[in-house]
Amino acid sequence: MNSEHQPHHHDENCGCHHEQHDHHLHSGHSHQPEPDHQAAPAITVKTHDTSLVGSYRLTIAASFEEADTILDQTLTKIAAEITVLGGIIGHIKANLTAAGRSCMISITEDESDHHYSDSHCCQAEGVAIVFGIIPEQLDAILHAVLGPYLSV
């Protein structure tokens, strides 16, 4: 969201739709459709009661073992950055799948826990449920840390 293009403050009660509003601002330009017109965004951040829920879909171009290590390191980095901002980790979780294998990684404190299982379908999907930071901070952390692996 770039505030210099918005004539008024937007929130869930403002009555306008950001996608439509942004489209009208750029109606004189020819450009590709917004990503959310084609598929769900790779990262979303929403509020739920007093928590923030950031969800993500990733593609990690590596072997299952390498992707497992990469995903563990990225989730641990997300946890560390949330903690540095004074946030509280409710749960950070991802499911890693590759042909014939899968691994669920779960973080509720500082260390991760791995649960392996068989799967027939390397993609990762997950959520970060956190408290004590604002949505823009979680969105920035997820994009910075997970950016190289975002599904397109």
Side-chain angles (χ1 to χ4, degrees), residues 21-40:
H21 188 73
D22 290 341
H23 177 72
H24 293 297
L25 287 173
H26 300 293
S27 60
H29 298 88
S30 67
H31 60 287
Q32 296 294 326
E34 296 294 321
D36 57 24
H37 292 261
Q38 296 174 347

Side-chain angles (χ1 to χ4, degrees), residues 83-125:
T83 302
V84 164
L85 291 174
I88 300 168
I89 299 164
H91 205 147
I92 299 174
K93 183 180 256 187
N95 188 46
L96 177 66
T97 59
R101 301 177 78 183
S102 70
C103 176
M104 175 69 70
I105 300 175
S106 179
I107 299 175
T108 55
E109 293 291 330
D110 294 329
E111 295 186 27
S112 60
D113 186 27
H114 296 230
H115 301 278
Y116 295 92
S117 62
D118 292 332
S119 175
H120 295 290
C121 134
C122 213
Q123 302 294 318
E125 293 187 32

Side-chain angles (χ1 to χ4, degrees), residues 43 45 78 81-82 85 133-147:
I43 292 177
V45 175
I78 290 168
E81 291 195 22
I82 289 166
L85 291 174
I133 61 175
I134 62 173
E136 293 80 8
Q137 290 173 312
L138 179 57
D139 187 66
I141 289 169
L142 293 177
H143 277 90
V145 176
L146 303 175

